[in-house]
């Protein structure tokens, strides 16, 4: 199952906190296919078939395809001084 680094968990919590009405929400990752990759969005709740990954209070919702594709991955984040976030995936050790 996808895991999150501490930095990624903090980034997810920060992003979600900035969107009204998503206090208990999370970041949803949807697999849009090999040509387009993954789509991230803020969601109030997971979809019925989503896999929910929770780390340090950060919630990530994975659609069925994303859950399969990211099963052995680690989500990390890089925070820049201007407040922007860049996510990266690595293989679990």
């Amino acid at each position: 199952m996808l895991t999150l680094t501490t930095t990624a968990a903090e980034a997810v919590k920060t992003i979600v906190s900035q969107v009204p009405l998503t206090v208990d929400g999370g970041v949803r990752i949807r697999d849009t296919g090999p040509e387009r990759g993954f789509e991230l969005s803020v969601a109030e709740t997971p979809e019925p078939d989503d896999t929910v990954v929770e780390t340090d209070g950060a919630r990530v919702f994975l659609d069925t395809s994303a859950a399969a594709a990211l099963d052995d991955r680690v989500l990390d984040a890089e925070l820049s001084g201007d407040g922007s976030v860049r996510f990266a995936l690595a293989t679990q050790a």
Side-chain angles (χ1 to χ4, degrees), residues 4-19 22-27 42 53-60 75 77 79 85 87:
L4 280 69
T5 64
T6 303
T7 305
E10 287 302 317
V12 167
K13 289 189 290 190
T14 299
I15 290 167
V16 171
S17 73
Q18 295 174 358
V19 178
T22 59
V23 175
D24 294 321
V27 169
V42 175
V53 176
E54 191 163 346
T55 302
D56 297 333
R59 298 175 74 203
V60 175
L75 182 67
L79 309 171
V85 177
F87 288 103

Side-chain angles (χ1 to χ4, degrees), residues 18-36:
Q18 295 174 358
V19 178
L21 305 175
T22 59
V23 175
D24 294 321
V27 169
R28 184 163 193 267
I29 301 176
R30 185 172 75 93
D31 187 349
T32 59
E35 305 252 335
R36 297 186 58 189

Side-chain angles (χ1 to χ4, degrees), residues 78-86:
E78 181 180 302
L79 309 171
S80 65
D82 66 0
S84 63
V85 177
R86 181 177 178 195

